[in-house]
């Protein structure tokens, strides 16, 4: 990450859309904050090259669905720049296990034995955390450094410049982002967060089949949610 727009390690399609944000005074302060945390001996996740992973796997042109998370996982090896996702070889966390259970109920797809959601991202599902970095063992530790300004701007840009995007807002934090979305030209599906604390209200939401139905109605390619294939 850098103050220089040309060197921000982000997909070219996003670089064009977000050019104004990269020029704003707050953006270089995010980098300074992260450098400062590391100088204090903090481990910051995900690794630098994966901070914009969600954008690099889902181009602006290809984007059809947005899932909003709050914060990267803060355990070693878990975060790789996609909300709810973990790299192959890392045990799927409880919220992700619950997502897979709902997909099983909704679509009859058996849960995979890994938690890497890159296949979804490459089909046009933007897996966006509101904060793109976090300190090890410290949830929400980067929530005030400027990331929320940036990701709110991302959501607003998607709303302004695209049509018919399906936004999946799970839990109160994500649902607060609805204010940034023009619901007259996009679709918003809301339910409880899949964490163990609220999963009873998440189960039965059928957001995966509903998303595909909304995409189908628009003549768009549906999402293959099956990570086993």
């Amino acid at each position: 990450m850098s103050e220089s727009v040309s060197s921000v390690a982000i997909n070219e399609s996003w670089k064009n859309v977000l050019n104004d944000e990269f020029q704003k005074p707050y953006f270089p302060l995010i980098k300074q904050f992260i450098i400062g945390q590391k100088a204090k001996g903090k481990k910051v996740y995900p690794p630098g090259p994966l901070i914009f992973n969600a954008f690099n796997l889902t181009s602006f042109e290809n984007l059809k669905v947005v899932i909003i998370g709050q914060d990267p996982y803060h355990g070693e090896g878990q975060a790789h720049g996609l909300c709810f996702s973990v790299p192959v070889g890392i045990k799927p966390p409880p919220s992700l296990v619950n997502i897979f259970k709902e997909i099983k109920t909704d679509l009859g797809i058996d849960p995979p034995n890994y938690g890497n959601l890159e296949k979804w991202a490459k089909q046009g599902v933007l897996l966006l955390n509101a904060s793109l970095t976090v300190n090890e063992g410290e949830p929400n530790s980067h929530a005030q450094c400027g990331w929320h300004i940036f990701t709110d701007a991302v959501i607003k840009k998607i709303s302004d410049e695209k049509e018919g995007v399906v936004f999946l807002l799970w839990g109160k934090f994500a649902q607060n982002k609805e204010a940034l979305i023009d619901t007259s030209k996009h679709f918003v599906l809301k339910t409880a967060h899949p964490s163990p604390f609220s999963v009873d209200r998440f189960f039965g939401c059928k957001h995966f089949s509903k998303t595909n139905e909304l995409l189908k109605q628009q003549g768009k390619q549906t999402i293959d949610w099956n990570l086993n294939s």
Side-chain angles (χ1 to χ4, degrees):
M1 193 165 61
S2 168
E3 296 85 344
S4 166
V5 178
S6 62
S7 62
V8 175
I10 194 169
N11 177 285
E12 202 63 35
S13 66
W14 286 103
K15 200 172 283 191
N16 297 331
V17 170
L18 298 171
N19 181 56
D20 291 350
E21 292 306 306
F22 297 139
Q23 306 287 355
K24 290 178 180 176
Y26 81 87
F27 193 79
L29 297 180
I30 299 174
K31 180 182 181 181
Q32 290 176 25
F33 174 83
I34 292 171
I35 290 171
Q37 293 300 295
K38 290 179 177 178
K40 293 176 183 174
K42 303 283 188 182
K43 278 188 180 177
V44 175
Y45 300 136
L50 295 178
I51 289 173
F52 293 107
N53 201 21
F55 301 90
N56 292 329
L57 291 174
T58 308
S59 70
F60 188 74
E61 290 85 358
N62 192 38
L63 187 154
K64 295 181 283 193
V65 180
V66 179
I67 300 177
I68 298 174
Q70 187 165 353
D71 210 31
Y73 294 124
H74 51 84
E76 185 174 3
Q78 290 182 306
H80 67 141
L82 307 176
C83 73
F84 293 105
S85 179
V86 290
V88 172
I90 299 292
K91 182 182 177 184
S95 291
L96 183 54
V97 170
N98 289 333
I99 289 169
F100 291 152
K101 286 179 180 176
E102 175 59 23
I103 291 174
K104 169 69 172 175
T105 304
D106 187 11
L107 297 169
I109 296 169
D110 289 327
N113 59 7
Y114 64 91
N116 189 327
L117 305 182
E118 287 183 7
K119 180 181 175 183
W120 296 358
K122 290 173 182 176
Q123 295 178 78
V125 181
L126 182 68
L127 297 163
L128 180 68
N129 274 316
S131 294
L132 299 189
T133 53
V134 70
N135 287 346
E136 181 178 48
E138 297 178 34
N140 287 318
S141 48
H142 292 199
Q144 304 301 320
C145 78
W147 279 132
H148 286 197
I149 302 172
F150 176 72
T151 53
D152 280 359
V154 169
I155 295 166
K156 186 79 166 56
K157 286 281 190 183
I158 295 168
S159 177
D160 290 348
E161 299 189 22
K162 294 188 74 74
E163 287 192 18
V165 173
V166 183
F167 289 85
L168 304 184
L169 307 183
W170 298 338
K172 191 172 186 301
F173 178 86
Q175 288 165 17
N176 287 337
K177 303 298 182 182
E178 186 176 7
L180 302 166
I181 301 163
D182 182 348
T183 55
S184 71
K185 63 172 185 165
H186 298 287
F187 303 96
V188 174
L189 300 180
K190 295 184 282 189
T191 191
H193 195 277
S195 101
F197 299 108
S198 53
V199 73
D200 287 349
R201 289 177 287 122
F202 175 79
F203 286 151
C205 69
K206 297 188 181 299
H207 276 191
F208 305 95
S209 59
K210 287 177 180 178
T211 293
N212 277 348
E213 188 54 43
L214 291 168
L215 294 175
K216 201 183 296 181
Q217 287 170 12
Q218 301 177 74
K220 295 179 180 179
Q221 182 74 38
T222 56
I223 305 301
D224 178 7
W225 299 106
N226 190 351
L227 296 174
N228 296 307
S229 58

